[in-house]
Amino acid sequence: MSIQLAQQVYNKALECGYMNCGIIKIAELRDYAQALERRIEMYPDVREVAMTYLAPYAEVEKAYPWAKSLVICAWWYGDVKIPKKFDGFVSKIFLTDYRRDQAAEGFKCSHRFEDALGGLGIKALTEREWGLAALRHAAVKAGLGIIRKNNLLYTAKGSWMHLEGWLIDRDLELKHHPDLKPCPEKCSLCIDACPTKAIQPYHVNILACACFLSARRPCLPAEAHYDKIGRCFYGCDICQDICPANRGAWSEDKDFPGLEELSELFAMEDILRMDDDTLRAVIQPKFWYVAPDEVWRFKNMALNVMCNEYEERYRPYIEEARSDSCDMVRNMADWVARQTYL
Ligand code: SF4
Ligand code: SF4
């Protein structure tokens, strides 16, 4: 009976549009606490961030005593047309982020699947923005893929996927056995290409990763690594773009709602000249890791990009930013001016 139900869950996930789906028992997540401790031992500076963002995932059994299993679904986004304007500036995972985007197919799929779980008589709970459990950890246990040296989950179609998870009140299990070769021993393309040297085989120092630095932290003058992240405005795909396991994996045959329109407004110079209301209306809804009351951070990231890839045409924009109404932006612009043309 439970095998049948697990198969029904899997079938529904694929019918709804997911690329794959697995189910693990909740007890299998117990070792996440040790995995987290190992990560902190390796990078002691990440303790505060890890305890804030990741530690709740180690408590999932305690927090949801009714939950017996976790359903993990993978949504493939490697078929989205990405406007060239975003190349190198924004990670593809953020451009195709559907978590808050009701018009996006991934968002609709997620809701269809939740309804389907209800239709099967299953109590299910998810948290679409940050998840309720360590989903990459869970996905490996469910056999959805393997972790490669850049610490990302890969399926046969590469690493371009969003993961979602549902805690369910049924004791179910459905595992796969991915037929994937591990990273070649001699390959270190991702490690060598990482601009901040954040990667050690199978581990990433999140505090040095451009994804975290650009999307999750305030950017202030002269903080560590910002001089190395080049044009990363919101995320970084370097270690995935260079990976042979991703070669030929992008198909670019689907439009993502609003992406083409956003690309027309997306230029570092224009972002620097936007007022806060425009930033909140145009930029923040897509790049929502930045809170609406902190949209000055977009300007500081644009200034950081201009500093890293300075061209004389940026000078008037940087000069204008030195009189910005926000002191954080003024400080950053002064610093960039001193680093470049002053
Ligand atoms: S996303 Fe960029 S900065 Fe982060 S580990 Fe990969 S290459 Fe390095
Ligand atoms: S670039 Fe090479 S080492 Fe890095 S994840 Fe890809 S295959 Fe593995």
Side-chain angles (χ1 to χ4, degrees), residues 194-196 198-199 204 209-211 236 238-239:
C194 174
T196 57
I199 309 176
V204 166
C209 175
C211 279
C236 166
I238 292 171
C239 59

Side-chain angles (χ1 to χ4, degrees), residues 148-150 154 183-184 187-190 239 242-245:
R148 296 204 176 277
K149 285 186 197 172
N150 58 8
Y154 280 69
C183 289
C187 185
S188 62
L189 288 170
C190 54
C239 59
I242 204 164
C243 176

